[in-house]
Amino acid sequence: MTSDAPAAPPRIEPATLKDIPTIIQLAEATWEPTYRFIISREQLEYMYRVIYTSASLKRQMAEQHHTFLLAYVAGEPAGFASFSPLPAEEDGGTGYKLHKIYVLPTKQGQGLGLHLIEAVENATRQAGGKFLDLNVNRYNPAIAFYERRGFARQREVDVPIGPYFMNDYIMRKEL
């Protein structure tokens, strides 16, 4: 017998340094499917090694003040997001940046990304944030998701990452 009742909302919790192995596990399952049709395998592997080592994630949390949120479905980790304040000299101290939002491929299309982005928006509002920026690859189908959430394209940027470039839009949502 099936139920038309909506699935229980995910549990979303702040991550700590002890959650780094879980974040790495989620990244391993989401990174390649997200980018394989957008960037070369060499760039994909290089960027992954730069961003998702234990040392890099620890630096992001401890030194760069990234807040990570983990989403759990039925008690199992299913996605994550990270965000941080923008440097005060860039915006007077009222802006935040969404750095990452990833959902396991098997859990996509179930509203988990929506719950994660709402949790980020709520946390940034509570911290006094007036807007939320993000970078998204100009060929990433997630652009439509962000636009439905009220983000608008601000400008194009080419961000150097080692010997590669990410060809992104910067998108912004006023909070």
Side-chain angles (χ1 to χ4, degrees), residues 43-100:
Q43 182 175 356
L44 191 146
E45 291 173 358
Y46 177 86
M47 290 176 53
Y48 184 86
R49 287 192 311 270
V50 168
I51 298 169
Y52 289 106
T53 64
S54 291
S56 179
L57 288 167
K58 185 175 182 181
R59 236 184 345 272
Q60 290 168 48
M61 289 179 173
E63 298 169 24
Q64 298 169 353
H65 310 291
H66 292 203
T67 298
F68 280 75
L69 300 176
L70 282 169
Y72 295 86
V73 173
E76 294 295 320
F80 69 96
S82 76
F83 63 97
S84 69
L86 287 169
E89 62 271 11
E90 288 183 26
D91 70 7
T94 63
Y96 281 74
K97 181 168 184 178
L98 174 65
H99 295 283
K100 302 170 185 59

Side-chain angles (χ1 to χ4, degrees), residues 7-174:
R11 187 179 84 229
I12 297 177
E13 297 180 355
T16 65
L17 293 173
K18 73 175 177 48
D19 293 309
I20 286 175
T22 300
I23 293 167
I24 290 172
Q25 177 185 15
L26 289 166
E28 286 174 351
T30 59
W31 187 256
E32 195 272 342
T34 299
Y35 292 108
R36 69 176 155 217
F37 300 114
I38 300 173
I39 60 178
S40 71
R41 169 152 305 282
E42 294 79 15
Q43 182 175 356
L44 191 146
E45 291 173 358
Y46 177 86
M47 290 176 53
Y48 184 86
R49 287 192 311 270
V50 168
I51 298 169
Y52 289 106
T53 64
S54 291
S56 179
L57 288 167
K58 185 175 182 181
R59 236 184 345 272
Q60 290 168 48
M61 289 179 173
E63 298 169 24
Q64 298 169 353
H65 310 291
H66 292 203
T67 298
F68 280 75
L69 300 176
L70 282 169
Y72 295 86
V73 173
E76 294 295 320
F80 69 96
S82 76
F83 63 97
S84 69
L86 287 169
E89 62 271 11
E90 288 183 26
D91 70 7
T94 63
Y96 281 74
K97 181 168 184 178
L98 174 65
H99 295 283
K100 302 170 185 59
I101 182 167
Y102 294 99
V103 173
L104 289 175
T106 57
K107 300 295 184 189
Q108 291 176 1
Q110 301 175 22
L112 190 54
L114 180 63
H115 284 287
L116 274 167
I117 206 161
E118 285 177 347
V120 170
E121 290 171 5
N122 291 336
T124 56
R125 268 191 211 96
Q126 290 172 0
K130 303 292 185 212
F131 66 89
L132 183 62
D133 282 356
L134 61 85
N135 285 41
V136 61
N137 185 283
R138 294 195 290 261
Y139 304 101
N140 191 330
I143 292 168
F145 168 79
Y146 295 126
E147 288 175 337
R148 286 192 304 273
R149 290 290 312 139
F151 286 84
R153 298 175 203 188
Q154 299 289 301
R155 64 187 183 280
E156 292 184 9
V157 294
D158 295 313
V159 181
I161 299 180
Y164 302 101
F165 285 90
M166 285 299 294
N167 308 115
D168 289 351
Y169 290 120
I170 294 179
M171 300 182 79
R172 174 172 289 177
K173 179 177 183 175
E174 300 295 330

